[in-house]
Amino acid sequence: MSRTLFSLVFTALVGFSTLVGTASAQESADLPDPHGIGLREAATPVAEEIHIFYDAILVPMKLGISFFVLGLLVWVAVRYNKKANPEPSKFSHNTPVEVAWTVIPVLILLIIAVPSFELLQVEDKMPDGQVYEYEKQSGTLFGFENDFPEARMVNKKRHIEVAAVADSGERRLLQPGRDYDVEGLGDPQVTVKLAEALPGSEHLMIRAGRTRVGKKKVLGVFGSDRSEIVPAPSITIKATGFQWGWKYSYPDFGDYEFTALMLSEQEAGKDLYRFATDNDIVIPEGETIRLITTAEDVIHSWAMPAFGVKIDAIPGRLNETWFYTEKKNTYYGQCSEICGKDHAFMPISIKVVTREEFEAWVDQRREDEGLEPMFGQQNLAAVQGGASVQAALK
Ligand SMILES: [Cu+2]
């Protein structure tokens, strides 16, 4: 097949898979669509990378292979049936064909293997990006210390993201070359030089680091790069699976643990039954969470489709992964390792809120445990897990 023809077919298939992806886009609540054929909407950069891998590489490949094999079957049935071909040939070998059916599948597997290994590494490796926020000022020079380990020093423009942040929290990404220049890449001190000072309503935020995650070019060639630098984790959550529910602790915020058990059908309502729990995990938006999993009795698996996370919870072992989301919502997942008779009844629910709401929730938790508040924002309405389930549906 000529190169142009190949890229034409490829583009058509990518287009088709994108269409399928859009058709199955979800409404606000993160629930499976009974009629959907795509993946649950991505809420983290890792999930976005998984979706690109699936939509742009795996789906076109499996469609291409299926249609190719179907075509061969039809061709053989029509061209070589007894009527059309009464005298069958008697050869038993064809070296070019045998080489082709060995080499082509190897190439296909390689095309799948390279991006999937990269994905596995992204999911496994804890991000180490740094975020620097600067107070509002009229200057154009902003510096930070390049204090990463030597092998991960910021030494390319790609390792820096510069954004103007409005009072509302909205981020406007600045363009290197046009809006700013960087000096001192690879040196202990890096300076960002803005082309012009920011308006008074915005302040500067610089993200630095090599952990770039999110939509990247397909096979390094097709499409655009929308990856972002992910900051190092600021919160650790430990999830312990047991027959049949989950226990969570937030070691950064006090020595206590709470359980999250499935709500009954009456409590949860029809749509959220088997998704809602009596205690949501609550996390702040825009912060990286380190998740540690383990189990008390048998192997469970903590899975959150919208986050692209699935990690085994094994008795006597700690597994570690991470997630980062900027999309406020309530997300639902389930135990994904058959773990006994009530395996289907140990859902996982995560509520992503603002930092202020998160702090209020932490203080509420601490109060329930008889501890002093940590952030002292008692006046803020506490975000109660579980009780907010119906609100999340709206
Ligand atoms: Cu389980």
Side-chain angles (χ1 to χ4, degrees):
M1 209 191 293
S2 80
R3 216 167 161 189
T4 356
L5 188 58
F6 175 79
S7 60
L8 246 172
V9 171
F10 186 86
T11 320
L13 290 174
V14 170
F16 177 76
S17 70
T18 317
L19 239 167
V20 170
T22 326
S24 63
Q26 297 271 314
E27 291 77 54
S28 59
D30 167 55
L31 286 170
D33 174 2
H35 308 292
I37 53 170
L39 302 166
R40 296 256 283 277
E41 201 186 330
T44 65
V46 166
E48 282 191 349
E49 270 199 51
I50 293 173
H51 285 202
I52 271 281
F53 175 55
Y54 179 77
D55 289 339
I57 298 179
L58 293 186
V59 171
M61 266 186 181
K62 59 194 189 189
L63 285 177
I65 292 169
S66 303
F67 285 121
F68 176 67
V69 173
L70 180 70
L72 284 182
L73 283 173
V74 171
W75 177 54
V76 168
V78 171
R79 174 66 186 80
Y80 297 103
N81 61 41
K82 201 174 173 187
K83 224 191 265 169
N85 190 37
E87 250 334 276
S89 59
K90 299 216 165 57
F91 72 90
S92 62
H93 288 79
N94 184 320
T95 308
V97 171
E98 283 165 33
V99 169
W101 78 44
T102 308
V103 171
I104 294 171
V106 167
L107 290 178
I108 291 175
L109 290 179
L110 277 178
I111 292 174
I112 295 174
V114 172
S116 66
F117 284 149
E118 202 208 316
L119 254 175
L120 283 175
Q121 193 217 344
V122 159
E123 289 164 34
D124 189 53
K125 207 176 196 174
M126 200 54 67
D128 63 355
Q130 297 296 333
V131 184
Y132 307 94
E133 290 215 44
Y134 300 83
E135 288 191 4
K136 275 180 200 168
Q137 53 164 280
S138 53
T140 55
L141 288 179
F142 298 86
F144 65 88
E145 265 167 53
N146 197 355
D147 54 359
F148 292 91
E150 205 172 324
R152 295 188 63 79
M153 289 260 278
V154 166
N155 62 11
K156 282 187 189 152
K157 277 194 176 164
R158 205 178 140 66
H159 300 156
I160 293 185
E161 236 170 53
V162 182
V165 186
D167 291 334
S168 60
E170 206 168 301
R171 277 212 317 265
R172 176 169 66 89
L173 220 53
L174 304 183
Q175 292 302 314
R178 193 190 70 190
D179 301 327
Y180 68 91
D181 267 315
V182 188
E183 271 169 23
L185 286 171
D187 299 339
Q189 179 75 29
V190 180
T191 311
V192 170
K193 246 169 133 175
L194 294 187
E196 54 185 85
L198 294 178
S201 56
E202 290 178 323
H203 70 270
L204 195 77
M205 177 163 113
I206 297 176
R207 280 190 187 188
R210 296 194 179 191
T211 325
R212 281 201 88 92
V213 190
K215 277 187 180 166
K216 291 177 186 152
K217 285 185 172 173
V218 179
L219 299 175
V221 184
F222 306 95
S224 58
D225 181 359
R226 287 203 276 123
S227 61
E228 55 179 314
I229 294 168
V230 177
S234 54
I235 294 171
T236 299
I237 299 177
K238 182 180 165 204
T240 310
F242 63 93
Q243 285 173 320
W244 284 273
W246 293 93
K247 276 182 200 168
Y248 296 102
S249 64
Y250 284 62
D252 306 315
F253 303 105
D255 184 13
Y256 57 83
E257 198 170 46
F258 61 88
T259 54
L261 298 171
M262 187 183 76
L263 290 181
S264 70
E265 197 168 357
Q266 286 96 333
E267 290 166 313
K270 200 168 135 278
D271 290 338
L272 285 174
Y273 178 49
R274 295 190 191 177
F275 288 107
T277 65
D278 57 352
N279 273 315
D280 296 333
I281 310 162
V282 176
I283 59 164
E285 57 176 338
E287 286 184 48
T288 301
I289 313 293
R290 180 199 308 269
L291 176 77
I292 293 174
T293 62
T294 187
E296 280 182 359
D297 33 42
V298 299
I299 301 178
H300 301 269
S301 177
W302 197 95
M304 185 55 63
F307 290 3
V309 171
K310 179 177 282 187
I311 184 159
D312 277 0
I314 303 169
R317 269 186 70 160
L318 286 177
N319 275 346
E320 184 186 74
T321 189
W322 65 275
F323 48 83
Y324 171 91
T325 180
E326 291 176 1
K327 295 178 181 164
K328 279 190 283 175
N329 202 347
T330 306
Y331 299 92
Y332 300 101
Q334 282 150 324
C335 176
S336 295
E337 182 73 53
I338 295 183
C339 59
K341 78 174 174 58
D342 285 350
H343 160 65
F345 304 103
M346 44 186 299
I348 299 158
S349 56
I350 285 202
K351 192 168 183 157
V352 182
V353 298
T354 62
R355 179 76 203 188
E356 289 74 33
E357 289 171 318
F358 172 73
E359 288 177 359
W361 174 81
V362 167
D363 278 353
Q364 184 64 53
R365 276 266 157 232
R366 287 176 62 89
E367 199 185 309
D368 295 347
E369 300 291 331
L371 298 167
E372 292 284 300
M374 204 168 197
F375 301 101
Q377 290 172 316
Q378 296 296 341
N379 47 344
L380 264 166
V383 184
Q384 281 288 9
S388 55
V389 151
Q390 290 306 329
L393 252 189
K394 276 167 205 157

